[in-house]
Amino acid sequence: MTENRIVVAIDSQEKHRAIDLAKNISDEIFAIKVNWPLILEEGHSIISKLSAFSKVICDFKVADIPNTNRLIAEKVHKDGAFAIIAHSVVGEDSLRAISQVSDDLKLISVVSMSHPGAESFLNPLSDKLIENARKVNSYGLIAPGNNTKFISHIKALDTGMKIFSPGIGVQGGDPVDAIVAGTDYVIIGRSIYLAEKPQDVVADINGKITAALKNIPMS
Ligand code: XMP
């Protein structure tokens, strides 16, 4: 059986619906990603509640001094999070402060973003941001799923870090194209959590990924 490659971003759901969604799709996905909208609505206890059903990735895009980054990472680790997303652009020391919190809490580093504004400042720095993440043994990188050329570029660098790609569906990226280009996990939000039957959408995407993966071994 191939590993599940979907990370579902639950950005806006009331607690009970988020938990129901997690229960219904947990066997078919790699992880659930939570972001500020859900946390601010339901409180941080939603992390431990969702962790009962799935790995939880906290997309807090942490971007602070090392001490503050560490305090945030310790808190989500206590809540049972699998991983936390942080900006590589704040520097090696700030990233390292997170990666040293616990072997059980993975660091996923933002090295590029999918929205047009990212082209002005962030994306031109992406190679340096990838190198920064590599130096602190980041578990993963965030790279836009709507930029398959860039995904292939990261894949060719052979960094050993997992590639997670948002920007799928509403933002234009295609899950199969992203996987074929080298992404390990596609992050999908609205196309799944706003669907009438999220389970069917997940099953459909999984089917397409499995078919495409037949000739592409997992790195
Ligand atoms: P949608 O609804 O667009 O949700 O499928 C995507 C989720 O991923 C986040 N997102 C990003 N995070 N770099 C990131 O680190 C990006 O380029 C990016 N694009 C989208 C978004 O906040 C939402 O949770």
Side-chain angles (χ1 to χ4, degrees), residues 128-182:
K128 284 185 182 161
L129 303 181
I130 293 167
E131 181 54 18
N132 211 25
R134 197 196 53 73
K135 280 189 200 153
V136 304
N137 295 320
S138 183
Y139 168 79
L141 302 173
I142 300 277
N146 53 3
N147 186 347
T148 51
K149 210 170 142 205
F150 182 61
I151 293 171
S152 303
H153 168 69
I154 300 183
K155 191 70 183 171
L157 294 176
D158 198 18
T159 66
M161 294 179 277
K162 302 284 186 196
I163 306 173
F164 290 77
S165 293
I168 303 289
V170 176
Q171 292 187 77
D174 177 81
V176 170
D177 290 349
I179 296 276
V180 169

Side-chain angles (χ1 to χ4, degrees), residues 91-111:
E92 194 181 325
D93 50 355
S94 288
L95 280 190
R96 195 179 301 284
I98 297 173
S99 68
Q100 288 179 340
V101 164
S102 166
D103 288 344
D104 293 335
L105 179 70
K106 318 276 188 228
L107 165 66
I108 302 175
S109 306
V110 178
V111 297

Side-chain angles (χ1 to χ4, degrees), residues 9 11 33 35 61 110 113-114 142 166 168 171 188-190:
D11 286 333
K33 183 175 85 63
N35 202 333
K61 294 197 180 63
V110 178
M113 292 187 79
S114 56
I142 300 277
I168 303 289
Q171 292 187 77
I188 308 174
R190 288 163 286 181

Side-chain angles (χ1 to χ4, degrees), residues 36 58-73 84-95 97-98 107-110 113 122 129 132:
W36 290 114
C58 291
D59 184 1
F60 293 168
K61 294 197 180 63
V62 182
D64 217 312
I65 60 169
N67 188 57
T68 311
N69 272 9
R70 177 182 57 79
L71 291 171
I72 296 167
I84 182 166
I85 296 177
H87 269 294
S88 179
V89 74
V90 280
E92 194 181 325
D93 50 355
S94 288
L95 280 190
I98 297 173
L107 165 66
I108 302 175
S109 306
V110 178
M113 292 187 79
L122 192 72
L129 303 181
N132 211 25

